[in-house]
Amino acid sequence: MMIKGIVFDMDNTLLHSSIDFGAMKREIYTFLCDHRLLPAGLSLDLHTTSTVIAEAMNTGLLSEELSSEMWDIAKKHEIQGMIGAHLEEGSMELIQQLHGQLHLVIVTNNALEAAMSALNENGVAHYFDLIIGREAMGSLKPAPDGYLEVLKHFSHTSPKEWLSVGDAWVDGKASESAGMPFIAYRGDGAKMNSMDVAPFAKIQDIREVLGFLQPLGKD
């Protein structure tokens, strides 16, 4: 089956940013604990910011006002961490080579405003056919919502006609749940294994994606 599109994660896949995801996670968790939405003592090593947020949302107690405050915390860290963000080595070369040949999409847990600011600053936003921030997702990665939105937008394609590229286990889990083959870019293999994510390929240079654009197999 020929590949028709690629979905990229953004942070530490296409762009090298300095977002302190650990600090973001801790501040949001503290906020949620202070408002008695989550219990103290949650093992944060087993969570990402998105899974902490999902825990809070699953309680059914997160009001619109508190939700807005929570997302403002995330947005603060994202905007601060995007200052001076630069492209990963080889990203521009890859994007320019694929532009016009395949559908190019970004799915990021970041706010769209923060994502667009960094992408525009690096002069690459216009290369992408679709950029999905968290506002377009019901649930963040590791949920597959963002990738399912891609398939909905490009309704003439099937999941196996896409490749997904990302650095984190949440990218892999979301991709696999949507049926898209996942390529791990400089990923933590042990972490992915512990989270039951099984990339079909692992790469160290983003340009290695080009080697996987032949048919992945027969239906």
Side-chain angles (χ1 to χ4, degrees), residues 21-87:
F21 291 104
M24 181 197 299
K25 176 173 62 177
R26 291 189 295 272
E27 186 173 352
I28 287 177
Y29 176 59
T30 298
F31 171 81
L32 294 170
C33 286
D34 289 346
H35 289 86
R36 300 179 182 178
L37 292 167
L38 289 180
L42 197 68
S43 180
L44 291 185
D45 288 343
L46 301 177
H47 283 275
T48 64
T49 300
S50 61
T51 60
V52 168
I53 289 170
E55 291 279 345
M57 294 178 71
N58 288 339
T59 66
L61 301 174
L62 190 61
S63 68
E64 187 173 333
E65 181 180 355
L66 290 177
S67 178
S68 179
E69 291 183 49
M70 176 188 71
W71 289 122
D72 282 346
I73 294 172
K75 190 174 180 180
K76 174 189 70 176
H77 284 275
E78 290 164 357
I79 291 175
Q80 182 176 347
M82 285 293 178
I83 296 173
H86 59 273
L87 291 171

Side-chain angles (χ1 to χ4, degrees), residues 185-199:
Y185 168 67
R186 298 184 179 179
D188 183 335
K191 183 67 173 178
M192 291 192 185
N193 185 59
S194 71
M195 302 306 293
D196 295 321
V197 174

Side-chain angles (χ1 to χ4, degrees), residues 8 13 88-94 165 183-187 202-212:
F8 292 96
T13 299
E88 287 279 330
E89 183 178 354
S91 288
M92 180 64 86
E93 180 183 339
L94 176 66
V165 184
I183 297 176
Y185 168 67
R186 298 184 179 179
K202 301 174 183 178
I203 62 176
Q204 292 298 311
D205 187 310
I206 197 70
R207 290 163 289 198
E208 292 179 62
V209 168
L210 293 170
F212 299 96

Side-chain angles (χ1 to χ4, degrees), residues 4 9 12 17 73-74 87 97 99 112 132 136-137 191 200 202 214:
K4 294 182 178 178
D9 172 50
N12 301 318
S17 67
I73 294 172
L87 291 171
Q97 187 165 345
H99 179 61
L112 185 61
I132 294 179
M137 306 181 208
K191 183 67 173 178
F200 92 90
K202 301 174 183 178
Q214 299 303 314

